[in-house]
Amino acid sequence: MMNTDRNFDDLAERFQRKVYGGLKGDVRLAVLWRDLEEQVPQIHAERPMRVLDIGAGLGQLAIRLAALGHQVVVNDVSAEMLAIAQSSARAAGVFELITWYHGPFQDLDSLELGQFDLVLCHAVVEWLAEPEQLLPALKGFLSPNGVLSFTYYNRHSLEYRNLIRGNFNLLKKETFVPDPGSLTPGNPLYPQQVLEWVEAQKLAVLGTSGIRVFSDYVTTQRGGNAVPESVVEMELAYSRREPYLWLGRYIHLLLGNR
């Protein structure tokens, strides 16, 4: 368990290089964008949506949505991550189209931002000291017909990967404690726990996908696994198939008000 929310200031460069500098990031963005296009058709409509991206990280989705004409608000607790996102937004010519807020998501309430058609919150909850507080906060920003795009780090995936690698002693410990400099979060979550939180907030599950359902387990890259484009194609194909989606490193939920 974590005592405080994790700030990525010291991990920003490593996160950019190890996750979004290669196939892992390509798969994550491909699955997220495919899901958003299918469940939020307004993405390509002429009327701009109000979009809130909490814990936006490097800002890829925020920048893409701003480029499509949507009114985007970005928040991140990490100044380093926000600086990288802002640099990318300038390069894409959309910096002035995005409203930027540096600070913890818990402070956003005081800004009276109103409600949003689309709320993004990806890979944040597993880095929080009190993860159960996140969904209620996110729901407060969601318009009556809005969509919440939410991902969490899947504990089943963490356990399965360590089983494959023979890290049995790690799995026998009562609590999971990652290396402080690791990109492995301190609060991996079981799907059932997250679905209980979803139910408590009276949210409906509109769609579910696994992110990186097989590629993270590959130890020898041969055949199609040696071709990045083929891996992305097959990750997309299997991301919603039972039982593979529940082996995803992350689980993507699209949620709406009932």
Side-chain angles (χ1 to χ4, degrees), residues 58-124:
L58 303 180
Q60 294 97 328
L61 291 176
I63 291 168
R64 194 166 184 175
L65 289 163
L68 289 172
H70 301 295
Q71 301 169 4
V72 181
V73 176
V74 161
N75 158 256
D76 205 290
V77 71
S78 168
E80 293 294 326
M81 296 287 275
L82 208 59
I84 296 172
Q86 290 174 334
S87 177
S88 297
R90 287 190 183 94
V94 298
F95 177 81
E96 301 295 338
L97 303 180
I98 299 174
T99 302
W100 306 88
Y101 288 109
H102 170 233
F105 77 89
Q106 293 93 334
D107 290 350
L108 291 178
D109 270 342
S110 64
L111 301 176
E112 298 182 355
L113 298 174
Q115 294 183 319
F116 294 82
D117 304 298
L118 176 61
V119 177
L120 310 175
C121 190
H122 302 147
V124 172

Side-chain angles (χ1 to χ4, degrees), residues 3-237:
N3 296 321
T4 59
D5 294 352
R6 184 68 162 94
N7 186 316
F8 263 47
D9 279 347
D10 61 325
L11 292 176
E13 185 276 333
R14 187 178 183 191
F15 179 79
Q16 183 181 29
R17 174 171 44 85
K18 293 203 68 174
V19 176
Y20 283 111
L23 184 58
K24 288 184 178 183
D26 292 344
V27 171
R28 181 189 288 195
L29 290 173
V31 174
L32 290 174
W33 192 252
R34 186 273 315 271
D35 291 355
L36 288 172
E37 283 190 311
E38 291 186 4
Q39 290 292 339
V40 191
Q42 306 94 301
I43 280 179
H44 296 292
E46 292 186 6
R47 184 184 72 84
M49 296 187 297
R50 296 196 74 224
V51 179
L52 174 62
D53 194 346
I54 290 181
L58 303 180
Q60 294 97 328
L61 291 176
I63 291 168
R64 194 166 184 175
L65 289 163
L68 289 172
H70 301 295
Q71 301 169 4
V72 181
V73 176
V74 161
N75 158 256
D76 205 290
V77 71
S78 168
E80 293 294 326
M81 296 287 275
L82 208 59
I84 296 172
Q86 290 174 334
S87 177
S88 297
R90 287 190 183 94
V94 298
F95 177 81
E96 301 295 338
L97 303 180
I98 299 174
T99 302
W100 306 88
Y101 288 109
H102 170 233
F105 77 89
Q106 293 93 334
D107 290 350
L108 291 178
D109 270 342
S110 64
L111 301 176
E112 298 182 355
L113 298 174
Q115 294 183 319
F116 294 82
D117 304 298
L118 176 61
V119 177
L120 310 175
C121 190
H122 302 147
V124 172
V125 65
E126 60 269 14
W127 296 100
L128 301 179
E130 298 178 319
E132 69 280 359
Q133 294 185 358
L134 181 58
L135 268 181
L138 297 176
K139 185 180 178 181
F141 292 113
L142 196 61
S143 68
N145 295 315
V147 174
L148 167 60
S149 174
F150 181 80
T151 73
Y152 63 91
Y153 191 80
N154 180 14
R155 180 146 190 162
H156 287 320
S157 171
L158 174 72
E159 293 176 352
Y160 188 54
R161 192 161 186 256
N162 279 290
L163 285 170
I164 292 172
R165 295 190 169 195
N167 298 328
F168 301 154
N169 288 335
L170 186 151
L171 294 171
K172 291 177 181 178
K173 295 179 180 179
E174 290 186 11
T175 57
F176 173 68
V177 181
D179 185 289
S182 169
L183 290 174
T184 302
N187 276 329
L189 297 167
Y190 288 115
Q192 186 57 40
Q193 175 65 76
V194 176
L195 290 176
E196 288 174 5
W197 292 342
V198 169
E199 179 67 23
Q201 294 306 310
K202 294 182 170 57
L203 292 166
V205 178
L206 308 175
T208 306
S209 295
I211 298 175
R212 305 206 306 269
V213 300
F214 72 88
S215 55
D216 271 14
Y217 304 109
V218 174
T219 57
T220 303
Q221 293 184 339
R222 58 189 176 192
N225 279 312
V227 183
E229 296 81 6
S230 296
V231 173
V232 173
E233 178 186 0
M234 296 306 287
E235 283 280 1
L236 286 167

